[in-house]
Amino acid sequence: MAAVGVVAGASPAAAHSGHADEAEASTAPIPPDTRPGGAYDRYVAKLAAEGRFSGVVLLSHRGRTVLSRSYGMADKEKGIANHEGVAFSLSSAGKPFGAVAVLQLAQQGKVKLSDTVGTHLKGFAREIAEQVTIHHVLSGTSGLDSTDEDVQRVFQSRDEVHEYYEQRARQAKLVGVPGVPDTAHEEAEITISALIVEAVTGRTYWDYVQENIFGRCGMTGSAFCTRPQWLSDAHIAHPYMELADGSVVDAVRNLDKSSPDPNVLGKNPGRAFIDAPGDGGFATAPDLVRFARALGDGTVLERPWADVLTAAKIPHGPASFAAYGIPVSIANGQWIYQRAGGNPGVGANWDIYPNSGWVGVILSNGDGVPLQEMIGQEMQAITGAPVDGGSGG
């Protein structure tokens, strides 16, 4: 288990927490359920003891770690245990980096949220180029539908990954009305956002985010790693995936042993050379706390633009909404910004509680982890009220 320690972080409260909220958060007692030995700590320890959790959990209040626990192995073959300094695959939990990147450009006046796709990109169907806006792709209301993915493909280079996903985005069809809410999870929207970042900056999406988000936040353990890096770097957790016969394999080392089920093979994180533009990435738990804090202190976005990022835009339920790449909800009288992601052998989630100064991180590298249940337990420990956990993967 990792020891409880201090995570470096800026002191200003996260976005939307006014002076009264900041004062209240600074004087409010730490809920007993969040402390070492508390209900959440005991719950995670039990999961690990049952073989249902391998990874890292972290609870931070106003930039200071309250609880940090690590279980299981980052690399079984090399005997490397999980710990706070290990980076985990984020899957869809890395999508908000793309939204932040676009809003940085909007803040600089280089793009407008009302710009259409055709304002910055060529080669798209006329109806997409002229009707779909940046706002639509960031809010998930583009009306686009991606073509079927080649689930058998194993990539060999960054350029090959980029070319493949760019082509898929250009082949997307407009099947709905732009601006009409749709809960579908469309790959083309994520890729188009990344392509706009590239067109405006003249850099790859991966390099832009590395410098302007990871670099600014001090996320020194975070990156868009290639498969060779994943195989060789001792600070990257390997995903352990259960196959149809019940055996468990390292998904990065064993591409040829992936499940024959194409629905599983297509999500095998080992088949990609690097995550698709606009998606994924690798991060440590403390780095995600740094990112969460940076959203509220002006490090990556000026305060009004941080508000644009997290403002509730599309209602999805009684107290849940879509923002730009980040589902937001209201629980026990406070906002929660959340992003989850998962693939076989991969589970990731980070929650920001801006009104009370809390950040929660769950990173896992094994199948069978009850991620949604863990999110609910974390929320209950922090807010004091039972909450149904979980947003988009």
Side-chain angles (χ1 to χ4, degrees), residues 353-366:
Y353 303 77
N355 303 117
S356 57
W358 284 90
V359 177
V361 179
I362 303 168
L363 298 173
S364 174
N365 65 324

Side-chain angles (χ1 to χ4, degrees), residues 71-86:
Y71 296 95
M73 303 300 291
D75 187 335
K76 296 178 182 179
E77 182 175 297
K78 294 182 178 179
I80 300 171
N82 283 322
H83 57 85
E84 262 196 10
V86 169

Side-chain angles (χ1 to χ4, degrees), residues 204-225:
T204 69
Y205 170 83
W206 304 303
D207 291 342
Y208 178 88
V209 171
Q210 189 75 49
E211 178 179 342
N212 293 281
I213 297 179
F214 298 166
R216 289 192 198 181
C217 296
M219 298 169 66
T220 57
S222 301
F224 293 96
C225 300

Side-chain angles (χ1 to χ4, degrees), residues 272-322:
F273 189 85
I274 192 171
D275 282 306
D279 205 352
F282 294 75
T284 66
D287 274 0
L288 290 174
V289 172
R290 294 182 181 107
F291 173 69
R293 301 291 293 168
L295 283 178
D297 67 13
T299 297
V300 289
L301 289 170
E302 294 174 0
R303 187 63 167 269
W305 288 99
D307 293 346
V308 171
L309 175 77
T310 57
K313 296 172 178 66
I314 311 294
H316 281 173
S320 62
F321 311 85

Side-chain angles (χ1 to χ4, degrees), residues 13 19 60 128 208 272 310 369 379:
H19 296 302
S60 170
I128 296 174
Y208 178 88
T310 57
V369 174
M379 290 183 177

